[in-house]
Amino acid sequence: TNLQEPERAIFNLAIASLYEYAQLLNANNQQPIANSQSPDMKFWDRATFDRVINKYYENALSDVKSLQDNSAESYKDILAINDETAEFDFNIEPTLYDYVIHKIILSNHGDSNFNIPDLYQHLIDFDKRNNYTDAAIYNEIQKLEYEYKNTDDFETYFNSLEKIKNENINNPLVTSVMSLQAEAILGQQTTANSQSSKAKVLSICDEAIKLFPDSKGAKQCESIRSEILQKELSLSMQNVQLPNKDITAKLTYRNLTNPHYRIYKVSQNDLENLNKNYGSELVRELYKKELIVENHIEILDEKDYQEHDISISLPKLDCGTYFIVFSKDDKFSKKDNELPAIHLFQVSNLSFVTTKENDDFVIYVLDRDSGKPVKDVNVNIFDRTYDYNKRKYVDRTLADLITDKNG
């Protein structure tokens, strides 16, 4: 080729990218075959692709000084041709040398001649010599992340991040270091040390947000902090309860102290209409129904950021169909991302069992509390099918029966 450096290096990167795309298309053919040197790439195995791609990446580094002497920004338009959606940060990649090395590290094809930690160290030394401070910090972070993934040495990783943090406390990139520290602590937590681990993470995140609130690392810390402090609430209970008896339910919660609940009574017609709604619309319609009870549950805040279960007692109710709505606070939000926990249940003194006797399908209606048969109960048997013309489910009565003395 007649291309001169550094254009020649960019050309080699582009060729490597084309082969990477071809390898992606050929991903199903990963087993080595006898004719792996065929000019037709559809017969290539992974090793062949890796060997060719790595050759072009090695060629891209044939003149390191030329790459180091040219800014990446001055070649932005050419670099974008290969990836029109590419976003460049020229504080992180001030030179073509930084750009090319990052491309090689990101690709990391098979058994190449590239040693990833060494590549990062070369970049760190180069960036420090030339006062590319942000780039040096970024590459130190990336090198530590790479080594941590391969060694899982938490102490070395965390302490090395702490050293970078202390040396660069006035640089906004320090918040990215702190977010990695927070994530590392969370990754090491156990049931025994969960409370202290999360408290330490919150302290780190609060410091990062205070230092540089608009930085990328601070935003990551805000996300970590929000996850730890997220309020959660769910309810589980039997779908049928006995009338005029205490109702027991299990409340699962996190980071809550005073959840509120409401119980609404609904008719069969109400229920059918409510079933047409979802999410916030369901909640809005439900709040219009007959409110039977509104109360709250006192919960001790353990300050451990963990999930807890408690058994709660709900008021005695008459026979009927009810919705219970549990809110994290007294607001009973109608917003989709803050919806309360909702549970539909019935209160009834009846239950039924089905069996087959002499090829007949038999239904027994029983007293839910005693288990004894109940006579003179009206039983409606129906099937429910979807009517596509009416765009709704339609019930069709199959039989109207009355129980005898055997239920």
Side-chain angles (χ1 to χ4, degrees), residues 355-392:
T355 186
K356 198 171 185 180
E357 298 177 2
N358 299 322
D359 294 329
D360 290 328
F361 187 73
V362 181
I363 301 173
Y364 289 94
V365 178
L366 309 173
D367 183 287
R368 179 168 289 275
D369 194 19
S370 68
K372 294 179 180 179
V374 182
K375 67 175 182 177
D376 297 329
V377 175
N378 293 318
V379 178
N380 173 250
I381 301 175
F382 64 92
D383 70 357
R384 176 169 292 169
T385 57
Y386 189 78
D387 189 319
Y388 287 94
N389 292 324
K390 297 180 179 180
R391 296 184 178 181
K392 66 177 185 177

Side-chain angles (χ1 to χ4, degrees), residues 233-366:
L233 178 66
S234 63
L235 176 75
S236 60
M237 58 186 292
Q238 294 292 325
N239 291 329
V240 183
Q241 302 287 336
L242 287 168
N244 303 311
K245 295 280 182 92
D246 287 333
I247 298 174
T248 301
K250 184 178 80 170
L251 202 63
T252 302
Y253 66 93
R254 185 165 75 95
N255 298 326
L256 289 177
T257 58
N258 197 26
H260 284 63
Y261 69 88
R262 294 174 179 173
I263 298 177
Y264 295 89
K265 189 172 186 177
V266 297
S267 66
Q268 182 61 33
N269 188 57
D270 288 335
L271 184 59
E272 290 177 2
N273 289 328
L274 287 169
N275 283 338
K276 298 174 184 177
N277 298 286
Y278 301 93
S280 59
E281 287 303 314
L282 170 61
V283 169
R284 291 176 192 277
E285 292 302 313
L286 182 56
Y287 286 171
K288 300 175 184 177
K289 304 307 175 185
E290 181 185 1
L291 179 61
I292 303 297
V293 178
E294 182 167 358
N295 210 333
H296 68 277
I297 304 292
E298 292 288 350
I299 295 176
L300 177 65
D301 187 359
E302 302 285 351
K303 297 290 185 184
D304 60 0
Y305 318 107
Q306 293 290 93
E307 186 177 274
H308 296 276
D309 293 330
I310 59 169
S311 180
I312 60 173
S313 293
L314 300 173
K316 301 173 183 178
L317 298 170
D318 296 328
C319 290
T321 302
Y322 299 86
F323 277 94
I324 184 167
V325 180
F326 250 101
S327 174
K328 299 168 187 175
D329 50 36
D330 60 355
K331 301 294 191 299
F332 288 91
S333 174
K334 301 173 186 177
K335 298 178 181 178
D336 278 322
N337 61 340
E338 299 176 2
L339 292 178
I342 301 176
H343 191 92
L344 169 67
F345 68 100
Q346 289 183 313
V347 176
S348 174
N349 53 16
L350 298 177
S351 65
F352 72 91
V353 295
T354 60
T355 186
K356 198 171 185 180
E357 298 177 2
N358 299 322
D359 294 329
D360 290 328
F361 187 73
V362 181
I363 301 173
Y364 289 94
V365 178
L366 309 173

